[in-house]
Amino acid sequence: MNVRRLIPTAALAGAVALGATALTACSGAGATGGKDGKLGVTASFYPMQFLAEQIGKDHVKVDVLTKPGVEPHDLEITPRQTAQLGEADVVLYLKSLQPAVDKAVAQSGVKNVVDAATLTKLEAHAASGHGEEGHAHQDGDEHAAETEGHSHGEAGTDPHVWLDPAKYAEIAKGVGAALEKADPNHAADYKRNTDELVGKLTALDTEFKDGLKSTASRTFITTHSAFGYLSERYGLDQEGISGVDPESEPSPARMKELQEIAKKENVSTVFFETLASDKTAKVLATDTGLKTDVLDPLEGITDKSQGADYFEVMRSNLKNLQKALGSK
């Protein structure tokens, strides 16, 4: 079982303060330079958009760089979008997740930037939960990098922090502090909205803890190894299928390994995601006699998503995990 890492209160307070000070406050009309006098916030992709909308509500106008249905890691940004990025009052992104966004932010010259990666502690997660000592969490793990299929942060850190409600709440606090700094006239509203959102995320964390407390298996197989933080938080083991291309079949060696793991760990289901092909999952499931189901990394919401927002999709993920793991 993975060991849960706790962030000291002092460290969290420092991270929140960093998020607030990293954003240069505008004064006068510039503080609400967005459309209709609202604070203009540009978010890199859905999890950042959701935070901005939930905390800013009627005081903000949120634009998102990654449109629904676009795989965030594959996003390409035009020079025009880069120029528009520089006109935002606030830019909210997660450094290392989307190289194109990192580059655009650097080129835009925008000063009011909130990097969500500074608001919580990023960790390294291997694609496989089974290493020589039971769990692999090594920086620069080659297999993990191959399975992810996209750039991770420095030292091979995993950017998928929003899939852990507790870490997402830490980021929400930092975003709230940043919006208060950018638009002090509505600071009380941002603070109240942040507290409300953190309360909902804390409740969701409790739902996952209770819902996954007792299961027949603690191991699940997924095509996208995005669930390292979720696994660590709730004592699960994530097994990622090798190969960066969702259209490709897993290697024979990995197939054999996963077959052995599935038998040993009582695995019933191979998970795939809504924004990528399910071909790899179906190949493995057919060869191992397992079922397939959706485990959504929540990088975007479309009409195919199992829910209309973050909370609905996360609860669908919980239900699917409970079913696959044999919740008691």
Side-chain angles (χ1 to χ4, degrees), residues 36-314:
D36 299 326
K38 296 183 178 182
L39 192 72
V41 180
T42 296
S44 57
F45 74 130
Y46 177 73
M48 301 299 102
Q49 173 191 358
F50 185 72
L51 290 181
E53 291 174 343
Q54 292 294 303
I55 296 171
K57 294 191 176 179
D58 292 339
H59 299 311
V60 301
K61 177 184 182 297
V62 183
D63 293 313
V64 62
L65 294 176
T66 308
K67 302 306 179 185
V70 175
E71 215 292 326
H73 310 302
D74 299 333
L75 178 68
E76 295 182 2
I77 297 180
T78 66
R80 181 179 180 182
Q81 287 177 305
T82 300
Q84 292 174 337
L85 190 65
E87 298 174 0
D89 293 317
V90 179
V91 172
L92 176 57
Y93 79 126
L94 179 58
K95 189 175 182 179
S96 84
L97 178 73
Q98 298 172 281
V101 173
D102 296 350
K103 183 177 180 181
V105 169
Q107 293 178 342
S108 70
V110 65
K111 296 180 180 179
N112 301 346
V113 172
V114 182
D115 174 10
T118 67
L119 303 178
T120 188
K121 179 178 173 57
L122 297 189
E123 303 166 2
H125 295 123
S128 171
H130 296 78
E132 293 181 359
E133 298 180 357
H135 303 283
H137 291 288
Q138 293 135 352
D139 290 353
D141 184 282
E142 182 177 351
H143 178 57
E146 289 178 355
T147 304
E148 286 294 348
H150 56 81
S151 174
H152 277 186
E154 295 181 5
T157 52
D158 181 354
H160 301 90
V161 286
W162 63 91
L163 292 168
D164 175 348
K167 281 188 171 293
Y168 199 40
E170 292 166 6
I171 295 173
K173 292 177 182 178
V175 171
L179 293 184
E180 289 177 44
K181 183 78 171 180
D183 183 15
N185 290 337
H186 300 111
D189 290 342
Y190 295 136
K191 178 66 167 62
R192 181 175 61 252
N193 295 342
T194 299
D195 291 344
E196 179 182 349
L197 178 58
V198 169
K200 291 180 179 179
L201 289 169
T202 300
L204 181 65
D205 178 39
T206 300
E207 288 181 40
F208 268 80
K209 286 177 182 175
D210 293 344
L212 298 172
K213 185 179 299 182
S214 180
T215 57
S217 175
R218 307 302 290 176
T219 302
F220 64 94
I221 297 173
T222 177
T223 55
H224 186 186
S225 299
F227 302 92
Y229 291 104
L230 185 149
S231 297
E232 186 170 11
R233 179 69 62 186
Y234 306 113
L236 305 178
D237 286 310
Q238 167 186 248
E239 291 289 342
I241 302 173
S242 123
V244 302
D245 184 356
E247 300 295 332
S248 68
E249 297 181 3
S251 69
R254 184 59 173 159
M255 280 287 291
K256 182 178 179 181
E257 182 181 15
L258 288 171
Q259 288 172 352
E260 294 172 352
I261 290 172
K263 183 176 180 180
K264 180 180 179 181
E265 303 294 337
N266 194 27
V267 175
S268 68
T269 306
V270 180
F271 287 110
F272 62 94
E273 62 183 90
T274 56
L275 292 183
S277 170
D278 61 356
K279 180 180 178 181
T280 305
K282 288 183 175 179
V283 168
L284 177 59
T286 298
D287 290 347
T288 55
L290 303 179
K291 296 176 288 186
T292 59
D293 206 346
V294 172
L295 196 60
D296 196 329
L298 258 164
E299 295 174 340
I301 296 288
T302 70
D303 56 3
K304 295 182 180 180
S305 299
Q306 295 186 342
D309 64 15
Y310 174 86
F311 287 106
E312 289 186 4
V313 175
M314 282 295 284

